Amino acid sequence: MNTRTKKFLSYYKPYLRIFLSVMSCAFIVASITLLFPLCTRYITKTVLEGHSPNALNQIYWVGALMVVLILIHTVCNF
């Protein structure tokens, strides 16, 4: 690394914890955004087309999971 890059990175050193928390929250939000369609596809393809006897129970569990994901998404966006 040259001196110019080291000097540039030295400005971010006091804010490293904030930077890492923002990056981890961004990763979590992106992951949750990708999980929503997967949950919906699981309900429509596996549960509803499979005609399982406990389909309503599985829908409730996936719905509860999606609510938890929305809460985590909201906290990370805050």
Side-chain angles (χ1 to χ4, degrees):
M1 253 191 268
N2 61 20
T3 57
R4 186 179 243 172
T5 305
K6 286 181 183 179
K7 185 174 182 178
F8 177 75
L9 291 177
S10 71
Y11 292 121
Y12 287 101
K13 191 168 185 151
Y15 307 105
L16 185 62
R17 186 178 298 159
I18 293 172
F19 174 73
L20 292 176
S21 67
V22 166
M23 291 307 292
S24 62
C25 282
F27 179 76
I28 291 169
V29 166
S31 300
I32 289 174
T33 303
L34 293 174
L35 284 175
F36 284 132
L38 293 176
C39 291
T40 306
R41 185 179 66 178
Y42 174 77
I43 291 173
T44 56
K45 295 290 183 187
T46 306
V47 176
L48 295 178
E49 287 182 1
H51 304 292
S52 67
N54 59 352
L56 191 59
N57 207 14
Q58 288 179 338
I59 292 172
Y60 286 148
W61 277 107
V62 174
L65 173 70
M66 289 175 80
V67 168
V68 169
L69 289 174
I70 288 171
L71 291 174
I72 294 170
H73 190 277
T74 303
V75 168
C76 285
N77 276 328
F78 181 70

Coordinates of all heavy atoms in Angstrom, one line a residue:
M1 N 0.8 -1.2 0.0 CA 0.0 0.0 0.0 C 0.9 1.2 0.0 O 1.9 1.3 0.7 CB -0.9 0.0 1.3 CG -2.3 -0.3 1.0 SD -3.3 0.0 2.4 CE -3.3 -1.5 3.2
N2 N 0.5 2.2 -0.8 CA 1.2 3.4 -0.8 C 0.8 4.3 0.4 O -0.2 4.1 1.1 CB 1.1 4.1 -2.1 CG -0.3 4.5 -2.5 OD1 -1.1 4.6 -1.6 ND2 -0.5 4.7 -3.8
T3 N 1.5 5.4 0.6 CA 1.2 6.3 1.7 C -0.1 7.0 1.5 O -0.8 7.3 2.5 CB 2.3 7.3 1.8 OG1 2.4 8.1 0.6 CG2 3.6 6.7 2.2
R4 N -0.5 7.3 0.3 CA -1.8 8.0 0.1 C -3.0 7.1 0.5 O -3.9 7.6 1.2 CB -1.9 8.3 -1.4 CG -3.1 9.1 -1.7 CD -3.1 9.4 -3.2 NE -3.0 10.9 -3.3 CZ -2.9 11.5 -4.5 NH1 -2.7 10.8 -5.6 NH2 -2.8 12.8 -4.5
T5 N -2.9 5.8 0.2 CA -3.9 4.9 0.6 C -4.0 4.7 2.1 O -5.0 4.7 2.8 CB -3.7 3.5 0.0 OG1 -3.6 3.7 -1.4 CG2 -4.9 2.6 0.3
K6 N -2.8 4.6 2.8 CA -2.7 4.5 4.2 C -3.3 5.7 4.9 O -4.0 5.6 5.9 CB -1.3 4.3 4.7 CG -0.8 2.9 4.4 CD 0.6 2.7 4.9 CE 1.2 1.4 4.5 NZ 2.6 1.2 5.0
K7 N -3.0 6.9 4.4 CA -3.6 8.1 4.9 C -5.1 8.1 4.8 O -5.8 8.5 5.7 CB -2.9 9.3 4.3 CG -3.4 10.6 4.9 CD -2.6 11.8 4.4 CE -3.1 13.0 5.1 NZ -2.4 14.2 4.7
F8 N -5.6 7.7 3.6 CA -7.0 7.7 3.4 C -7.7 6.7 4.4 O -8.7 7.0 5.0 CB -7.3 7.2 2.0 CG -8.8 7.1 1.6 CD1 -9.6 8.2 1.5 CD2 -9.3 5.8 1.5 CE1 -10.9 8.1 1.2 CE2 -10.7 5.7 1.2 CZ -11.5 6.8 1.1
L9 N -7.1 5.5 4.6 CA -7.7 4.5 5.5 C -7.6 5.0 6.9 O -8.4 4.6 7.8 CB -7.1 3.2 5.3 CG -7.4 2.5 3.9 CD1 -6.7 1.2 3.8 CD2 -8.9 2.3 3.8
S10 N -6.6 5.8 7.3 CA -6.5 6.2 8.6 C -7.6 7.1 9.1 O -8.0 7.2 10.3 CB -5.2 7.0 8.8 OG -5.2 8.2 8.2
Y11 N -8.3 7.8 8.1 CA -9.5 8.6 8.5 C -10.7 7.7 8.9 O -11.5 8.1 9.7 CB -9.9 9.4 7.3 CG -8.9 10.5 7.0 CD1 -8.3 10.6 5.7 CD2 -8.6 11.5 7.9 CE1 -7.4 11.6 5.4 CE2 -7.7 12.5 7.6 CZ -7.1 12.5 6.4 OH -6.2 13.5 6.1
Y12 N -10.7 6.5 8.4 CA -11.8 5.6 8.8 C -11.6 4.7 10.0 O -12.5 4.0 10.5 CB -12.1 4.6 7.6 CG -12.8 5.4 6.5 CD1 -12.1 5.8 5.4 CD2 -14.2 5.6 6.5 CE1 -12.8 6.5 4.3 CE2 -14.8 6.3 5.5 CZ -14.1 6.7 4.4 OH -14.7 7.4 3.4
K13 N -10.4 4.7 10.5 CA -10.0 3.9 11.7 C -10.9 4.2 12.9 O -11.4 3.2 13.5 CB -8.6 4.1 12.0 CG -8.1 3.0 13.0 CD -6.6 3.0 13.1 CE -6.2 1.9 14.0 NZ -4.9 1.4 13.7
P14 N -11.2 5.4 13.2 CA -12.1 5.6 14.4 C -13.5 5.1 14.2 O -14.3 4.9 15.1 CB -12.1 7.1 14.6 CG -11.0 7.7 13.8 CD -10.7 6.7 12.7
Y15 N -13.9 5.0 12.9 CA -15.3 4.6 12.6 C -15.4 3.1 12.1 O -16.4 2.8 11.5 CB -15.8 5.5 11.5 CG -15.7 7.0 11.9 CD1 -14.8 7.8 11.3 CD2 -16.5 7.5 12.9 CE1 -14.6 9.1 11.7 CE2 -16.4 8.8 13.3 CZ -15.4 9.6 12.7 OH -15.3 10.9 13.1
L16 N -14.4 2.3 12.4 CA -14.3 0.9 11.9 C -15.5 0.1 12.4 O -16.2 -0.6 11.7 CB -13.0 0.3 12.3 CG -12.8 -1.1 11.7 CD1 -12.8 -1.1 10.2 CD2 -11.5 -1.7 12.2
R17 N -15.9 0.3 13.7 CA -17.0 -0.5 14.3 C -18.3 -0.1 13.6 O -19.1 -1.0 13.3 CB -17.0 -0.2 15.8 CG -18.1 -1.1 16.5 CD -18.1 -0.8 18.0 NE -16.8 -1.2 18.6 CZ -16.4 -0.8 19.7 NH1 -17.1 0.1 20.4 NH2 -15.2 -1.2 20.2
I18 N -18.5 1.2 13.4 CA -19.7 1.6 12.7 C -19.8 1.1 11.3 O -20.8 0.6 10.8 CB -19.9 3.1 12.8 CG1 -20.0 3.6 14.2 CG2 -21.0 3.6 11.9 CD1 -20.0 5.1 14.4
F19 N -18.6 1.2 10.6 CA -18.6 0.7 9.2 C -18.9 -0.8 9.2 O -19.7 -1.2 8.3 CB -17.2 1.0 8.7 CG -17.0 0.4 7.3 CD1 -17.6 1.0 6.2 CD2 -16.2 -0.7 7.1 CE1 -17.4 0.4 4.9 CE2 -16.0 -1.3 5.9 CZ -16.6 -0.7 4.8
L20 N -18.3 -1.6 10.1 CA -18.6 -3.0 10.0 C -20.0 -3.3 10.4 O -20.6 -4.3 9.8 CB -17.6 -3.7 11.0 CG -16.2 -3.7 10.6 CD1 -15.3 -4.4 11.6 CD2 -16.0 -4.4 9.2
S21 N -20.6 -2.6 11.3 CA -22.0 -2.8 11.7 C -22.9 -2.5 10.5 O -23.9 -3.2 10.2 CB -22.4 -2.1 12.9 OG -22.4 -0.7 12.7
V22 N -22.6 -1.4 9.8 CA -23.5 -1.0 8.7 C -23.3 -2.0 7.5 O -24.3 -2.4 6.9 CB -23.1 0.4 8.2 CG1 -23.6 0.7 6.8 CG2 -23.5 1.5 9.2
M23 N -22.1 -2.5 7.3 CA -21.9 -3.5 6.3 C -22.6 -4.8 6.6 O -23.2 -5.5 5.7 CB -20.5 -3.7 6.0 CG -19.8 -2.5 5.3 SD -20.6 -2.0 3.8 CE -20.3 -3.3 2.8
S24 N -22.6 -5.2 7.9 CA -23.2 -6.5 8.3 C -24.8 -6.3 8.2 O -25.4 -7.3 7.7 CB -22.8 -6.9 9.6 OG -23.2 -6.0 10.6
C25 N -25.3 -5.2 8.6 CA -26.7 -5.0 8.4 C -27.1 -4.9 7.0 O -28.2 -5.5 6.6 CB -27.1 -3.7 9.1 SG -27.3 -3.8 10.9
A26 N -26.3 -4.4 6.1 CA -26.6 -4.4 4.7 C -26.7 -5.8 4.1 O -27.5 -6.1 3.3 CB -25.6 -3.5 3.9
F27 N -25.7 -6.6 4.6 CA -25.7 -8.0 4.1 C -26.9 -8.8 4.6 O -27.5 -9.5 3.9 CB -24.4 -8.7 4.6 CG -24.3 -10.1 4.3 CD1 -23.9 -10.5 3.0 CD2 -24.5 -11.1 5.2 CE1 -23.8 -11.8 2.6 CE2 -24.4 -12.4 4.9 CZ -24.1 -12.8 3.6
I28 N -27.3 -8.5 5.9 CA -28.5 -9.2 6.4 C -29.8 -8.8 5.7 O -30.6 -9.6 5.3 CB -28.6 -8.9 7.9 CG1 -27.5 -9.6 8.7 CG2 -30.0 -9.3 8.5 CD1 -27.4 -9.2 10.1
V29 N -29.9 -7.5 5.4 CA -31.1 -6.9 4.7 C -31.1 -7.5 3.3 O -32.2 -8.0 2.8 CB -31.1 -5.4 4.6 CG1 -32.0 -4.9 3.6 CG2 -31.3 -4.8 6.0
A30 N -30.0 -7.6 2.6 CA -30.0 -8.2 1.3 C -30.3 -9.7 1.3 O -31.1 -10.2 0.4 CB -28.6 -8.0 0.6
S31 N -29.9 -10.4 2.3 CA -30.2 -11.8 2.4 C -31.7 -12.0 2.7 O -32.3 -12.9 2.1 CB -29.4 -12.4 3.6 OG -28.0 -12.3 3.3
I32 N -32.2 -11.2 3.6 CA -33.7 -11.3 3.9 C -34.5 -11.0 2.7 O -35.5 -11.7 2.4 CB -34.0 -10.5 5.1 CG1 -33.4 -11.1 6.4 CG2 -35.5 -10.3 5.3 CD1 -33.6 -10.2 7.6
T33 N -34.1 -10.0 1.9 CA -34.8 -9.7 0.7 C -34.9 -10.8 -0.3 O -35.9 -11.1 -0.9 CB -34.2 -8.4 0.1 OG1 -34.2 -7.4 1.0 CG2 -35.0 -8.0 -1.2
L34 N -33.8 -11.6 -0.3 CA -33.8 -12.8 -1.2 C -34.6 -14.0 -0.6 O -35.0 -14.9 -1.3 CB -32.3 -13.2 -1.4 CG -31.5 -12.2 -2.3 CD1 -30.1 -12.7 -2.3 CD2 -32.1 -12.1 -3.6
L35 N -34.8 -14.0 0.7 CA -35.5 -15.1 1.3 C -37.0 -15.0 1.2 O -37.7 -16.0 1.2 CB -35.2 -15.2 2.8 CG -33.8 -15.8 3.2 CD1 -33.5 -15.7 4.7 CD2 -33.7 -17.2 2.7
F36 N -37.6 -13.8 1.0 CA -39.0 -13.7 0.9 C -39.6 -14.4 -0.2 O -40.6 -15.2 -0.1 CB -39.4 -12.2 0.8 CG -39.3 -11.5 2.2 CD1 -38.7 -10.2 2.2 CD2 -39.9 -12.0 3.3 CE1 -38.7 -9.6 3.5 CE2 -39.9 -11.3 4.5 CZ -39.2 -10.1 4.6
P37 N -39.1 -14.3 -1.4 CA -39.7 -15.1 -2.6 C -39.5 -16.6 -2.4 O -40.3 -17.4 -2.8 CB -38.9 -14.6 -3.8 CG -38.3 -13.3 -3.4 CD -38.1 -13.4 -1.9
L38 N -38.4 -17.0 -1.7 CA -38.2 -18.4 -1.4 C -39.3 -19.0 -0.5 O -39.8 -20.1 -0.6 CB -36.8 -18.7 -0.9 CG -35.7 -18.4 -1.8 CD1 -34.3 -18.6 -1.1 CD2 -35.8 -19.3 -3.0
C39 N -39.6 -18.2 0.5 CA -40.7 -18.6 1.5 C -42.0 -18.7 0.7 O -42.8 -19.6 0.9 CB -40.8 -17.6 2.6 SG -39.4 -17.6 3.8
T40 N -42.3 -17.7 -0.1 CA -43.6 -17.7 -0.8 C -43.6 -18.9 -1.8 O -44.7 -19.6 -1.9 CB -43.7 -16.4 -1.6 OG1 -43.6 -15.3 -0.7 CG2 -45.0 -16.3 -2.3
R41 N -42.5 -19.2 -2.5 CA -42.5 -20.3 -3.4 C -42.7 -21.6 -2.6 O -43.3 -22.5 -3.1 CB -41.2 -20.4 -4.1 CG -41.2 -21.5 -5.2 CD -39.9 -21.5 -6.0 NE -38.8 -21.9 -5.0 CZ -37.6 -22.1 -5.4 NH1 -37.2 -21.9 -6.7 NH2 -36.6 -22.4 -4.5
Y42 N -42.1 -21.7 -1.4 CA -42.3 -22.9 -0.6 C -43.7 -23.1 -0.3 O -44.2 -24.3 -0.4 CB -41.5 -22.8 0.7 CG -41.7 -24.0 1.6 CD1 -41.1 -25.2 1.4 CD2 -42.5 -23.8 2.7 CE1 -41.4 -26.3 2.2 CE2 -42.8 -24.9 3.6 CZ -42.2 -26.1 3.3 OH -42.5 -27.2 4.2
I43 N -44.4 -22.1 0.1 CA -45.9 -22.2 0.4 C -46.7 -22.6 -0.9 O -47.5 -23.5 -0.8 CB -46.4 -20.9 1.0 CG1 -45.8 -20.6 2.4 CG2 -47.9 -20.9 1.1 CD1 -46.2 -19.3 3.0
T44 N -46.4 -21.9 -2.0 CA -47.2 -22.2 -3.1 C -46.9 -23.5 -3.8 O -47.8 -24.3 -4.3 CB -47.1 -21.1 -4.2 OG1 -45.7 -20.9 -4.5 CG2 -47.7 -19.8 -3.6
K45 N -45.6 -23.9 -3.9 CA -45.2 -25.1 -4.6 C -45.3 -26.3 -3.8 O -45.8 -27.4 -4.2 CB -43.8 -24.9 -5.2 CG -43.7 -23.9 -6.3 CD -44.4 -24.3 -7.5 CE -44.2 -23.2 -8.6 NZ -45.0 -23.4 -9.8
T46 N -44.8 -26.3 -2.6 CA -44.6 -27.5 -1.8 C -45.9 -27.7 -0.9 O -46.4 -28.8 -0.9 CB -43.4 -27.3 -0.8 OG1 -42.3 -27.0 -1.6 CG2 -43.2 -28.6 -0.1
V47 N -46.3 -26.7 -0.2 CA -47.4 -26.9 0.7 C -48.8 -27.0 0.0 O -49.5 -28.0 0.2 CB -47.4 -25.8 1.8 CG1 -48.6 -25.9 2.7 CG2 -46.2 -25.7 2.6
L48 N -49.1 -26.0 -0.8 CA -50.4 -26.0 -1.5 C -50.6 -27.1 -2.6 O -51.6 -27.6 -2.7 CB -50.7 -24.6 -2.0 CG -50.8 -23.5 -0.9 CD1 -51.1 -22.2 -1.6 CD2 -51.9 -23.9 0.1
E49 N -49.5 -27.3 -3.3 CA -49.6 -28.3 -4.4 C -49.4 -29.7 -3.9 O -49.8 -30.7 -4.5 CB -48.6 -28.0 -5.5 CG -48.9 -26.9 -6.4 CD -47.9 -26.6 -7.5 OE1 -46.9 -27.4 -7.6 OE2 -48.1 -25.7 -8.2
G50 N -48.8 -29.9 -2.7 CA -48.6 -31.2 -2.1 C -49.8 -31.8 -1.4 O -49.9 -33.0 -1.1
H51 N -50.8 -31.0 -1.2 CA -52.1 -31.4 -0.5 C -51.8 -32.1 0.8 O -52.3 -33.2 1.1 CB -52.9 -32.3 -1.4 CG -53.2 -31.6 -2.7 ND1 -54.1 -30.5 -2.8 CD2 -52.9 -31.9 -4.0 CE1 -54.2 -30.2 -4.1 NE2 -53.5 -30.9 -4.8
S52 N -50.8 -31.6 1.6 CA -50.5 -32.2 2.8 C -51.6 -32.0 3.8 O -52.3 -30.9 3.8 CB -49.1 -31.7 3.3 OG -49.2 -30.4 3.7
P53 N -51.8 -32.9 4.8 CA -52.9 -32.8 5.8 C -52.6 -31.6 6.7 O -53.6 -31.1 7.3 CB -52.9 -34.1 6.5 CG -51.6 -34.7 6.2 CD -51.1 -34.2 4.9
N54 N -51.4 -31.3 7.0 CA -51.1 -30.2 7.9 C -50.6 -28.9 7.2 O -49.8 -28.2 7.6 CB -50.1 -30.6 8.9 CG -48.8 -31.1 8.3 OD1 -48.7 -31.2 7.1 ND2 -47.8 -31.3 9.2
A55 N -51.2 -28.6 6.0 CA -50.8 -27.5 5.2 C -51.0 -26.2 5.9 O -50.2 -25.3 5.9 CB -51.6 -27.5 3.9
L56 N -52.1 -26.1 6.6 CA -52.4 -24.8 7.3 C -51.4 -24.6 8.4 O -50.9 -23.4 8.6 CB -53.8 -24.8 7.9 CG -54.4 -23.5 8.4 CD1 -54.4 -22.5 7.3 CD2 -55.8 -23.7 9.0
N57 N -51.0 -25.6 9.1 CA -50.0 -25.5 10.1 C -48.6 -25.0 9.5 O -47.9 -24.2 10.1 CB -49.8 -26.8 10.9 CG -49.3 -26.6 12.3 OD1 -49.4 -25.5 12.8 ND2 -48.9 -27.7 12.9
Q58 N -48.3 -25.6 8.4 CA -47.0 -25.2 7.7 C -47.1 -23.8 7.3 O -46.1 -23.0 7.3 CB -46.7 -26.1 6.6 CG -46.3 -27.5 7.0 CD -46.0 -28.4 5.7 OE1 -46.5 -28.1 4.7 NE2 -45.2 -29.4 6.0
I59 N -48.2 -23.3 6.8 CA -48.4 -21.9 6.3 C -48.2 -21.0 7.5 O -47.6 -19.9 7.4 CB -49.8 -21.8 5.6 CG1 -49.8 -22.5 4.3 CG2 -50.0 -20.3 5.4 CD1 -51.1 -22.5 3.6
Y60 N -48.8 -21.4 8.7 CA -48.6 -20.5 9.9 C -47.1 -20.4 10.2 O -46.7 -19.4 10.6 CB -49.4 -21.1 11.0 CG -50.9 -20.8 10.9 CD1 -51.8 -21.8 11.4 CD2 -51.4 -19.7 10.3 CE1 -53.2 -21.6 11.3 CE2 -52.8 -19.5 10.2 CZ -53.7 -20.4 10.7 OH -55.0 -20.2 10.6
W61 N -46.4 -21.5 10.2 CA -45.0 -21.5 10.6 C -44.2 -20.7 9.6 O -43.3 -19.9 10.1 CB -44.4 -22.9 10.6 CG -44.7 -23.6 11.9 CD1 -45.6 -24.6 12.1 CD2 -44.2 -23.3 13.2 NE1 -45.6 -25.0 13.4 CE2 -44.7 -24.2 14.1 CE3 -43.2 -22.4 13.6 CZ2 -44.4 -24.2 15.5 CZ3 -42.9 -22.4 15.0 CH2 -43.5 -23.3 15.9
V62 N -44.4 -20.8 8.3 CA -43.7 -20.0 7.4 C -44.1 -18.5 7.5 O -43.3 -17.6 7.4 CB -43.9 -20.5 5.9 CG1 -43.3 -19.6 4.9 CG2 -43.3 -21.9 5.8
G63 N -45.4 -18.3 7.8 CA -45.8 -16.9 8.0 C -45.1 -16.3 9.2 O -44.7 -15.1 9.2
A64 N -45.0 -17.1 10.3 CA -44.3 -16.6 11.5 C -42.9 -16.3 11.2 O -42.3 -15.3 11.7 CB -44.5 -17.6 12.6
L65 N -42.2 -17.2 10.4 CA -40.9 -16.9 10.0 C -40.7 -15.7 9.2 O -39.8 -14.9 9.5 CB -40.3 -18.1 9.2 CG -39.0 -18.0 8.6 CD1 -37.9 -18.0 9.6 CD2 -38.7 -19.0 7.5
M66 N -41.7 -15.4 8.3 CA -41.6 -14.2 7.5 C -41.8 -12.9 8.4 O -41.2 -11.9 8.1 CB -42.6 -14.3 6.4 CG -42.3 -15.3 5.3 SD -43.5 -15.5 4.1 CE -43.2 -14.0 3.1
V67 N -42.6 -13.0 9.4 CA -42.8 -11.9 10.3 C -41.5 -11.6 11.1 O -41.1 -10.5 11.2 CB -44.0 -12.1 11.3 CG1 -44.0 -11.1 12.4 CG2 -45.3 -12.1 10.5
V68 N -40.9 -12.7 11.5 CA -39.6 -12.5 12.2 C -38.6 -11.9 11.3 O -37.8 -11.0 11.7 CB -39.1 -13.8 12.8 CG1 -37.7 -13.8 13.3 CG2 -40.0 -14.3 13.9
L69 N -38.5 -12.3 10.0 CA -37.6 -11.8 9.1 C -37.9 -10.3 8.8 O -37.0 -9.5 8.7 CB -37.7 -12.5 7.7 CG -37.1 -14.0 7.8 CD1 -37.3 -14.7 6.4 CD2 -35.6 -13.9 8.1
I70 N -39.2 -9.9 8.8 CA -39.5 -8.5 8.6 C -39.1 -7.7 9.8 O -38.6 -6.6 9.6 CB -41.1 -8.4 8.4 CG1 -41.5 -8.9 7.0 CG2 -41.5 -6.9 8.5 CD1 -43.0 -9.0 6.8
L71 N -39.2 -8.2 11.0 CA -38.7 -7.5 12.2 C -37.2 -7.3 12.1 O -36.7 -6.2 12.4 CB -39.1 -8.2 13.4 CG -40.6 -8.2 13.7 CD1 -40.9 -9.1 14.9 CD2 -41.1 -6.8 14.0
I72 N -36.5 -8.3 11.8 CA -35.0 -8.2 11.7 C -34.7 -7.2 10.6 O -33.8 -6.4 10.7 CB -34.4 -9.6 11.4 CG1 -34.6 -10.5 12.6 CG2 -32.9 -9.5 11.1 CD1 -34.2 -12.0 12.3
H73 N -35.4 -7.3 9.5 CA -35.2 -6.3 8.3 C -35.4 -4.9 8.8 O -34.6 -4.0 8.5 CB -36.1 -6.7 7.2 CG -35.9 -6.0 5.9 ND1 -36.4 -4.8 5.6 CD2 -35.2 -6.4 4.8 CE1 -36.0 -4.4 4.4 NE2 -35.3 -5.4 3.9
T74 N -36.4 -4.7 9.6 CA -36.7 -3.3 10.1 C -35.7 -2.8 11.0 O -35.2 -1.7 10.9 CB -38.1 -3.3 10.8 OG1 -39.1 -3.8 9.9 CG2 -38.5 -2.0 11.3
V75 N -35.2 -3.7 11.9 CA -34.2 -3.3 12.9 C -32.9 -3.0 12.1 O -32.2 -2.0 12.5 CB -33.9 -4.4 13.9 CG1 -32.7 -4.2 14.7 CG2 -35.1 -4.5 14.8
C76 N -32.5 -3.8 11.2 CA -31.3 -3.5 10.4 C -31.4 -2.2 9.6 O -30.4 -1.6 9.4 CB -31.0 -4.7 9.5 SG -30.3 -6.1 10.4
N77 N -32.6 -1.9 9.1 CA -32.7 -0.7 8.3 C -32.7 0.5 9.3 O -32.4 1.6 8.8 CB -34.0 -0.7 7.5 CG -33.9 -1.4 6.2 OD1 -32.8 -1.3 5.6 ND2 -34.9 -2.0 5.8
F78 N -33.1 0.4 10.5 CA -33.1 1.5 11.4 C -31.7 1.9 11.7 O -31.3 3.0 11.8 CB -33.8 1.0 12.7 CG -33.9 2.1 13.7 CD1 -34.7 3.2 13.5 CD2 -33.2 2.1 14.9 CE1 -34.8 4.2 14.5 CE2 -33.2 3.1 15.8 CZ -34.0 4.2 15.6

